[in-house]
Amino acid sequence: MSGIVMSYQFGTNWSTFADKAGPIVGPLMGYEVLSAFFLEAGFLGIMLFGFNRVGPKLHLFATAMVAFGTLFSTFWILSVNSWMQTPAGFAINDAGQFVPDDWWAIVFTPSFPYRLVHMVLAAYLTTAFVVGGVGAWHLLKNSRDRGARIMFSMAMWMAIVVTRLQIVAGDLHGLNTLEHQPAKIAAMEGHYETESGAPLYLFGIPDDEAGELHYSIGIPNLGSFILTHDWDGAVKGLDAFPEDQRPPAAWVFWSFRIMVAFGLAMVGVGLWSLIQRRRRQLYDDTWLKRAAVAMAPSGFVAVLAGWVTTEVGRQPYTVYGLLTTADSASAVGAPAVATSLVAFILVYFTLFGAGTVYILRLMAKPPEAGESDRPEGPTRSAGLTPAASVAPDKVFPAE
Amino acid sequence: MIDPATIWAALIAVAVLAYILLDGFDLGIGILYPLVKSEQDRDIMMNSVAPVWDGNETWLILGGGGLFAVFPLAYATILPALYAPLTAMLLALVFRGAAFEFRWRSKRHKHFWSAAFAGGSILAAFAQGVALGALVQGIEVANRSYAGGWFDWLTVFSVMTGCALVVGDALLGATWMVMKTEGHPRQQAVRLAWVFGALTLAAIGSVSLWTPLLNDAYLARWFDWPNLVLSGVMPLLVLGCAALLARGLQRGPDALPFLAANGLFVLCYIGIGISFYPYIVPHSVTIWNGAAPDSSLWFLLAGTAVLLPMILGYTAYVYWVFRGKVDPNEGYH
């Protein structure tokens, strides 16, 4: 549903951006609709309701098409976002529009591969920790539950493998950002002043007005080492950029730290599970299971924090260095924007609230053996939520 | 004549028509909810569209996304001009989409989700009709952006087109039910189809008579020679569809009323197209000066030539898989 909203919000709230960047961003979004949305929405019906109508092989095919649809969607959306972060392959015409010059360069901008890999891995990790958390929850109640064991074990394998890849991807992405968006890195690191042998700040309170990081705690020279792979390398601070080209540092600084902290916690849980697996105590370590339950939402938090880092870090631009956010907006009156924003917040909170309640109820039910070859009907219900495997009145007898 | 902008204008026109027809009947199901009292009948109605509604709405994304991609200037002027009705439509669609997910999960709140489904469908259809009416009235454009006021969209004419679309979608929904259900829900649908068929014809008549009076360009388009011939043929075609609708409701086959209702929609849509061409924003932006550079148009056209036939293919396949009458024991519950 959010796809529909997005394809209209570019015009309602960001019409100047739509006019100027439309010739480039529009076709990429168009490809997303054609290659991803239709695939996903078209086969979703068969995936959810078609089990008795198409046979298992075609049903598997439909399910795979839904998965491919989401993956294609990620590809195009991140292509758009990467172009906005590190624009390339364009010219500017008389009407002030960005016009395409080289589509290859537009789709595959310098930051695109890093962003795509980082985001896809993040999505897998998010899923792994949700599945692992639900599995752990049921294991805490009954450590013999076979389905829960499978959930927990597979999720922990995923956590071990993917967190490692993610650290590498995140580091490469950071270096790429340093090359193309140094002001963002300066804000992420809390560096107000350009210096050699810059410390890695663990904590601090950024103050844009004073231009310094209060109460900072840092490890000397480590910042330079990570960013330049040289203990005394020079790192640009925010002072290297004109004041009107700096992102608001506090948001970027803190959201980045939240993302990294959750990422490290995921690494920790992964390693812990590996140790217990070697000792053949994977299903018996109560504290590990509790930690996995606590970490279930961690992927969502980390992903959100990461997006805040990258989007706020891009400020004050929508198209980096070329089109400011202020110049991108529609000439819509503030009351109209405020009203629609409040309406969206109310509707989304109501629906996400209800959705969360229904999802948590589903998660409260242990997985059943042989669930997947159950004959009655849909194994999963549309879009947001995994459906009950049996009639809802058997699942929620309390109601 | 066959330049990429014209091809794209035709493609987007088809995408929007596909949306109006496809989502029309599933919005119509929601619009009819308040008139159908039994929750069991409502279950059957919802299940008749459950496998396809998501795909249907994707055509709306293609309409909006396509406009953004190939007519960015039109997109950037139309959307701010229709800010309020489009925002209302989006919120209504989101609410309605959630109702599909949640209604069957909750016994205690089932009535709430039924109401959300009905309210969302009615509001979405009404807002779409208002937006269409506002577009037909024309939009003020200056310096590549919308130059009118924030309530220009709200007029007696646009409210009337809003009501017209609600009534028309209800007809599509009712005839869909005639085709897809049996027994009690079908009988009820036949009655509803008679009522909404009559209302739809009245709405078509009023809007058609009013539109040429909105401005001289429309008047000339419809009543100058040789266009007058066309103006004479269109009402006859509408009456032909109406006759087929009536015949289908009396004697069958069950698919005929649905096809006839779709015929009415197609005729109205062609009528709007005749009024508009060659403008994409009536009387301020034409197909050509609203278009993106040729390189953008070709880039997307290349992929569309491959992907669109595939989309049509698997969409048809999905409808084929779910063909026939709805089994009351299948679906969301």
Side-chain angles (χ1 to χ4, degrees), chain B residues 177-209:
Chain B
M177 274 173 67
V178 172
M179 184 167 75
K180 296 295 280 188
T181 63
E182 286 169 316
H184 185 254
R186 186 187 166 280
Q187 286 165 6
Q188 211 167 2
V190 171
R191 280 198 298 275
L192 290 167
W194 279 111
V195 175
F196 283 102
L199 290 172
T200 303
L201 285 175
I204 291 173
S206 328
V207 176
S208 311
L209 290 176

Side-chain angles (χ1 to χ4, degrees), chain A residues 266-339:
Chain A
M266 289 176 177
V267 174
V269 171
L271 289 176
W272 186 355
S273 78
L274 192 62
I275 292 165
Q276 294 299 31
R277 200 189 290 272
R278 290 260 162 86
R279 297 171 60 193
R280 303 200 170 274
Q281 290 185 350
L282 182 65
Y283 306 113
D284 305 317
D285 183 342
T286 306
W287 279 105
L288 172 62
K289 287 184 273 188
R290 284 180 185 160
V293 171
M295 287 289 284
S298 59
F300 297 107
V301 180
V303 166
L304 279 175
W307 275 103
V308 169
T309 306
T310 198
E311 295 302 291
V312 178
R314 183 181 59 189
Q315 298 310 310
Y317 299 106
T318 47
V319 181
Y320 198 68
L322 296 162
L323 182 64
T324 64
T325 307
D327 286 339
S328 301
S330 300
V332 182
V337 179
T339 310

Side-chain angles (χ1 to χ4, degrees), chain A residues 7 13 19 23 31 331 382 399, chain B residues 75 83 101 107 144 296 299 303:
Chain A
S7 82
N13 286 329
D19 177 31
Y31 269 110
E399 267 205 332
Chain B
Y75 179 79
Y83 195 88
E101 310 279 339
K107 285 224 172 64
R144 302 184 72 82
S296 299
F299 173 68

